Amino acid sequence: MTSPREAAFEALFAEHWPAVHAYARRRVVQAEDAHDVAAEVFAVAWRRFDDIPAALALPWLYRTAANVLANRQRGDRRRHRLTAKLAALPRPVVADPGDVATDDQALVAAFDSLDEDDREVLRLVAWEGLRNAELAALLGVSTNAAALRLSKARRRLADAVRTQERVAGHGMGDDRPGSER
């Protein structure tokens, strides 16, 4: 059942979406950005619906659109400044952990033998640098549950590496003492 407030907002949206979208489209470079701006304007309008003057709804929406556009422009300028600062920093030469790991064939084979959930947990921690709390947020579980999943994935990887090394050792004429065929 639609409340009177919802019905009034739907009427406002239906009446003014085209005008707000056109206003935004004339002020952005990318056409898809106009849709995002208009959507943000109506999100603000929903939150502040009681503040919209009934007789001046469209000008209120235009002012809100101008504010949304100004906020986006400020954000774009901040991002550009930050990108320029980061580009000016010296880059340390550090090997990508994924490249280093793929040099060890037993590790690659062991990693490939894990199920996708284990592989993704290990990638998120090793390659993306996530900590347990971040991993938990991404997985939608508690920090303890994330730590447990990581621990189990690491244990399964270690077991798989040992298995791969045993297979490689037996298949390659391992002459070490105690390694009979």
Side-chain angles (χ1 to χ4, degrees):
M1 179 175 276
T2 303
S3 72
R5 183 178 195 270
E6 290 170 336
F9 180 80
E10 288 174 6
L12 175 84
F13 181 88
E15 181 180 353
H16 296 301
W17 171 268
V20 172
H21 187 270
Y23 175 94
R25 178 62 190 108
R26 289 187 290 271
R27 287 161 176 80
V28 297
V29 175
Q30 303 289 331
E32 58 271 9
D33 290 342
H35 186 81
D36 293 343
V37 169
E40 193 170 339
V41 167
F42 281 95
V44 171
W46 173 253
R47 287 191 307 270
R48 300 199 42 215
F49 188 70
D50 295 333
D51 297 337
I52 301 173
L56 300 171
L58 188 57
W60 187 94
L61 292 167
Y62 283 158
R63 186 181 68 234
T64 302
N67 291 339
V68 167
L69 287 163
N71 287 339
R72 288 171 65 100
Q73 290 168 349
R74 278 191 297 276
D76 289 345
R77 284 193 301 271
R78 277 193 302 271
R79 275 189 296 285
H80 290 303
R81 283 192 307 268
L82 180 58
T83 299
K85 284 181 183 179
L86 289 173
L89 292 174
R91 292 179 180 248
V93 178
V94 177
D96 183 322
D99 294 339
V100 173
T102 58
D103 290 341
D104 183 338
Q105 293 304 317
L107 178 58
V108 170
F111 187 79
D112 288 344
S113 75
L114 299 177
D115 69 28
E116 180 55 30
D117 289 341
D118 283 347
R119 289 193 309 260
E120 185 60 9
V121 165
L122 293 168
R123 283 189 293 251
L124 288 167
V125 171
W127 294 357
E128 309 310 327
L130 295 186
R131 288 183 242 121
N132 285 349
E134 297 163 326
L135 181 64
L138 189 141
L139 297 174
V141 299
S142 70
T143 302
N144 287 341
L148 184 60
R149 282 179 68 175
L150 175 60
S151 176
K152 287 181 177 181
R154 284 177 172 160
R155 186 180 65 244
R156 285 189 282 265
L157 178 60
D159 292 345
V161 167
R162 282 191 290 276
T163 300
Q164 289 297 323
E165 288 173 343
R166 274 194 307 274
V167 168
H170 285 291
M172 304 264 298
D174 193 356
D175 293 330
R176 290 175 292 166
S179 63
E180 287 84 31
R181 288 197 206 206

